[in-house]
Amino acid sequence: MRILVTGGSGFIGSAVVAAVEAAGHEVAVLDVRGGADVRDRGVVAGALAGVDAVCHQAAKVGLGRDFSDAPDYVSVNLVGTAELLAAMADAGVRRLVLAGSMVVYGEGRYTCASHGLVRPGPRTAGALDAGRFEPPCPVCSAPLAAGLVPEDAPADPRNVYAVTKLAQEQLAAVWARETGGTAVSLRYHNVYGPGLPRDTPYAGVAALFLSALGRGEAPRVFEDGGQRRDFVHVRDVAQANLRALEGCSQLPGGVLTAYNTGSGEVRTVGAMARALAAACGGPAPVVTGEYRLGDVRHITADSRRLREELGWEAGVSFAEGMRELASLPIG
């Protein structure tokens, strides 16, 4: 196949390009770093010449600084995706793999001992200021047990980035229905590994911890460090994209199929900070009690569907990944 990778020079995109080329496929890259903006229909149309499938990684990522970032998120993530899909419809390209995100779920899956499966509302500034980080049962205010989120869980985006990631999926679903194309969204968990962007307001937690350690500073852990996440290595994510691209022909057309894409190893943010600090030989993390209002407390998902339907499985363990991060230049 000839595959167009948008955002192919970025953190995840470059890993996808390497995996696709290693599998013997031909790759074309469209990336803003090379002066090619996915929002430019003419540029996209030219890049689609001879292409069999598109792997759409180009996006503005992260929680952002504040709501003033909203127009840029909408422009890059939604206008860019709409232009790409329109160009694909015109060019007759009918296979799409989209970089989705677990942020579409909002908070994770919670169970109350008295009321069963419940969906807590957004956490309030008052509760967070008081150090009440765990969301309570919305019925009786009792403590909740966090579990794994399946793909059919209701979407509940709780920040601007999350809204745009859900809207990307909805646009792709409409494109698939109207063109008969095959669309896959890989809902990434917390991706880390070589090449992750650092020293930016949009960086992920692993990058922020690594940058602090590189400056000889203690990683700063928000809340109490008990936030549950699934940290998945970028090479595993790249392999998931390869499996999805190669498996498109076996998936139903006219709909979007979503797959949770995580390692299956549930860890806390505090545990990652401690593991990375130990591996780097740096200062121990500092738990600050600070918070970001758009963050959710726990979000870990069940990735069995991706394993069962496309034969993908994460290969890099958390311990191995932390050692690799620690071996990277961190100055």
Side-chain angles (χ1 to χ4, degrees):
M1 286 191 294
R2 178 173 172 81
I3 298 166
L4 174 65
V5 181
T6 70
S9 298
F11 168 44
I12 298 175
S14 60
V16 171
V17 168
V20 169
E21 289 181 333
H25 301 292
E26 186 180 355
V27 178
V29 170
L30 191 155
D31 195 284
V32 70
R33 295 167 181 80
D37 195 321
V38 74
R39 291 169 290 186
D40 186 324
R41 180 84 63 89
V43 169
V44 175
L48 286 170
V51 164
D52 301 299
V54 173
C55 188
H56 185 32
Q57 304 294 318
K60 185 178 180 70
V61 301
L63 188 58
R65 298 165 299 185
D66 51 45
F67 199 80
S68 64
D69 279 333
D72 201 29
Y73 274 102
V74 170
S75 177
V76 175
N77 295 357
L78 296 190
V79 175
T81 299
E83 292 288 359
L84 172 67
L85 293 173
M88 290 175 65
D90 290 343
V93 180
R94 296 294 182 260
R95 295 183 185 181
L96 170 72
V97 174
L98 173 68
S101 175
M102 51 77 184
V103 296
V104 301
Y105 299 118
E107 282 287 353
R109 184 182 180 93
Y110 292 90
T111 304
C112 173
S114 300
H115 298 98
L117 189 64
V118 294
R119 292 191 62 77
R123 298 181 298 170
T124 66
L128 294 168
D129 285 336
R132 298 194 300 273
F133 301 122
E134 295 288 343
C137 175
V139 180
C140 66
S141 297
L144 299 175
L148 301 180
V149 183
E151 285 90 351
D152 60 0
D156 187 16
R158 297 193 175 182
N159 56 61
V160 172
Y161 171 63
V163 168
T164 65
K165 296 309 288 184
L166 178 59
Q168 279 185 318
E169 289 192 352
Q170 293 168 330
L171 284 171
V174 173
W175 167 84
R177 184 167 63 250
E178 294 192 2
T179 66
T182 301
V184 172
S185 178
L186 297 175
R187 291 174 176 170
Y188 301 159
H189 279 257
N190 293 69
V191 185
Y192 74 95
L196 78 174
R198 296 185 237 162
D199 296 318
T200 161
Y202 311 99
V205 65
L208 295 175
F209 293 161
L210 196 62
S211 293
L213 289 163
R215 297 190 299 268
E217 300 171 1
R220 296 177 59 82
V221 179
F222 279 17
E223 301 186 21
D224 60 359
Q227 309 93 303
R228 289 160 53 101
R229 297 291 188 269
D230 183 326
F231 299 101
V232 60
H233 198 279
V234 67
R235 288 194 297 273
D236 287 331
V237 168
Q239 287 299 316
N241 277 274
L242 176 62
R243 291 295 179 94
L245 288 162
E246 294 180 336
C248 271
S249 59
Q250 281 74 54
L251 295 174
V255 296
L256 178 137
T257 304
Y259 293 104
N260 291 329
T261 308
S263 70
E265 295 187 62
V266 176
R267 305 280 175 169
T268 66
V269 172
M272 169 180 248
R274 291 190 296 272
L276 194 54
C280 291
V286 174
V287 177
T288 69
E290 297 172 90
Y291 64 85
R292 297 188 301 181
L293 195 57
D295 277 340
V296 297
R297 178 62 175 175
H298 304 302
I299 177 64
T300 55
D302 188 342
S303 299
R304 286 181 297 177
R305 184 178 183 183
L306 182 55
R307 294 194 298 270
E308 292 171 357
E309 294 188 9
L310 294 181
W312 172 88
E313 191 162 5
V316 182
S317 70
F318 179 78
E320 179 185 352
M322 292 301 99
R323 288 193 298 270
E324 182 184 35
L325 273 188
S327 71
L328 300 174
I330 57 174

